[in-house]
Amino acid sequence: MVSVTSCVLIALFAFGHLVRSYYTEEYRPQFHFTPEKNWMNDPNGLVYHNGKYHLFYQYNPNGTTWGYMSWGHAVSTDLVHWKHLPIALECEVDSNGNVLEMFFSGSAVVDANNTSGFAIPLGKDRRGKVIYSQPMVAIYTSNYPTAHTQSNGVVIQEGQQSQSIAFSNDDGLTWTQYEGNPVIESPPSEYADQYNQFRDPFVFWHSPSSKWIMVASLAMKQILLIYSSDNLKNWALESQFGPYNARFGQWECPSLFPLYVDGNTAAEKWVILMGINPGGVITGSGTQTIIGSFNGTTFVADPTDVTDPTQIPAGATVFQDFESTSSTFEELGWTATGDFAGLGPQQASTVDVWNIMGYLGKGVLTTYLFGDVAKGTITSPKFTVTKKYISFLIAGGYYPYNPATAGTGDDNQVSIGLVVGGQVVHSQTGTDTESLVWRSWNVAGWVGKEAYLVVTDVNTGPFAHLHVDEIVFSDTPKDEANWNDLGPDYYAAATYNGLPTSERIVIGWMNNWAYAQNIPTTPWRSAMSVPRKLALKTINNKVRVVQQPVSSLSSLYTSTLYSRKFTALQSGYSKIYVPSPYNARMKVTLRFTRGTGTKFGVVLRSNATNSQETVIGYDFLGQNVFVDRFKAGDNSFVDWEPNPYPGYFIATMPTKSTDAITLTILLDWSSVEVFDGLGQIAITSQIFPLDDSAQVKLFSEGGTTRSVSVSINGMKSAW
Ligand code: FRU
């Protein structure tokens, strides 16, 4: 018999479902932008005009994987609620089905002074003066898969990438391609062979020189080309920039814009923001920034923002540089087990054959011995931690250390770990490249303690090897790049034209090419990050790019659903809140101070048995914010090795023991984004919880956490 109450419940549920059937599929982001259906990648043509934020995006009108690239289009008045508009620029296919032109990434500007001549008369004002439209001009890469001759006579090679423009006189609804396209047919002659790797123009109006400036990428050369123009049609090459910092991958989607330091309008600096893929901070796609100056023709990086990978940090002590290539590991005081027993560092002459790059000197530790089949460990002698950082060069396959499987039959790690008191307190795996890059661990929390390093390769799968070199101890970290987001899912970030310098809004593609086309969502694939506001802030004497979600996002916050303060949160886990799965979208704000414990945080999308959980917190000893998605849900959509998806992501953020730390976490149906109070770190990560459970738990590990306050707001759906 069905009771009255359950009848009401069923009715409510059914009613709720009816009302909200739009955008409620499994994993459908509730407060992030997604197309209704089909594949999306990079945000394009972000421009604010006539009260509207335009969002164009890389879009496949025909399917849920990459292809037929076109520019999708949406608008918003608040960066939160979006209205879908018709496709702006649609991929061109000839009568035989050959794709002639795809519209790759680019930018948009409003040509208020009609420098392009694309404006049209709209009528006359009261004095009889003709009023003209303000054309919106899109500047994009024409990617031509098929050789052909265009109707304007331009001969196109197969695979060519050129820069083109199109204009709209109805605020982006309909577009006309310029008859003189492409406006930059090929890269400068010294890079003629890069005709098929020349893309992603970002254009802006530079008032001091009264010119349009374009920055475009020679993706495989890690070089940005800077051009100028009076009319958006004729472009002159002014300068080039790069390679710098993260460079073992393709440089894509660059942009260049000014920001004020600490809000001081007299202290302007310029920032390059760009994607690199592969070669991102985790593996696959990543986003880096470089701060510098721009004089209208040339960008010069601040020396403090670029790093020379051939130099060790000032004042560093070399712990091991593996230069004794004639010695075994044992002779160096290390212990090697398994297939590595009796062996030692390898010589340049050997490893160069394998295309290993970026190591220093002649010797390097590698587990690529007899191929990927070699298994075993290589352990350093014990040492006392004396300095704040351990930095090293590393490369290899992405097989992260997973505490749940380490030492078991399921262990597949290929990583280097720092062991203190019998615990692995830091670990680093490769980023799926053969080129060594700098990584640093903050070890301030263990100064005075005995420690050792262990390279573990228990994997014989593809890419199952690690290269390590130049292990140094120092007071300052040595990192490959200024990563703009330390998570795996923030790429091709682009900023809005048409807003004041103090309102630099950025949107990133919340995905990673390493697995993007496999994520388990349908009928759409890929979401954008929440829009974020960028600024420059001086933190610990260094100017940094900081970011926070745009304030208009608060229009989606519900009233506080949970709020509590703990003078001292005891060691262990406490379940604090259990929303329905439907309501598993929220903003969690944590404020806390170090107690006797070593870690503090929150567990989201957790089930009763903890077999599913996304763990986010702060490590007081390792001095980092972390996101752990090893058990976040589905990762079976990746069916190859190394699986680039599972992982534990850290963002180093040194604090003093008395500091109150603030973290803001945005949880949506298939993502988490984490920001600290100053905006100095961001970690963006997709998650695909399989279990409907949505328990929220707080935890303190190894002791208490003091002055904890937690508050949770629900997030209304933006759809
Ligand atoms: C970056 C990217 C761009 C290119 C676009 C094609 O994700 O590879 O370089 O313009 O995607 O869709």
Side-chain angles (χ1 to χ4, degrees), residues 39-44 57-59 66-67 69-71 102-106 140-141 143 161 197-201 217 219 250-254 275 277 285 491-492 509 513:
W39 168 264
M40 171 178 80
N41 54 290
D42 319 349
N44 294 152
Y57 52 87
Q58 286 290 283
Y59 185 59
W66 188 91
M69 295 323 291
S70 305
W71 276 33
M102 296 206 231
F103 295 83
F104 271 19
S105 285
Y140 53 89
T141 298
N143 180 79
Q161 295 184 343
Q197 294 291 345
F198 171 42
R199 59 181 177 269
D200 305 343
S217 180
Q250 305 187 34
W251 274 13
E252 297 185 316
C253 302
N277 176 75
S285 314
Y491 193 60
W509 177 50
W513 281 114

Side-chain angles (χ1 to χ4, degrees), residues 28 204 214 233 244 260 273 302 311 331 344-345 375 436 443 466 492 576 580 633 690:
R28 174 70 91 168
F204 61 96
M214 175 196 292
K233 297 170 178 165
Y244 280 109
Y260 300 133
L273 169 74
D302 282 357
Q311 297 300 314
E331 281 159 354
K375 292 211 281 188
L436 285 85
V443 292
L466 207 67
I576 57 167
S580 70
L690 280 166

Side-chain angles (χ1 to χ4, degrees), residues 280-351:
V281 61
I282 309 299
T283 179
S285 314
T287 300
Q288 64 173 332
T289 59
I290 299 175
I291 301 171
S293 59
F294 178 65
N295 63 3
T297 60
T298 311
F299 177 84
V300 178
D302 282 357
T304 48
D305 237 45
V306 288
T307 178
D308 178 351
T310 66
Q311 297 300 314
I312 64 171
T317 314
V318 177
F319 176 65
Q320 185 52 258
D321 56 10
F322 303 107
E323 286 308 293
S324 305
T325 48
S326 56
S327 311
T328 59
F329 289 118
E330 310 294 327
E331 281 159 354
L332 295 178
W334 291 52
T335 325
T337 66
D339 298 323
F340 311 125
L343 301 176
Q346 296 300 301
Q347 303 261 12
S349 54
T350 313
V351 299

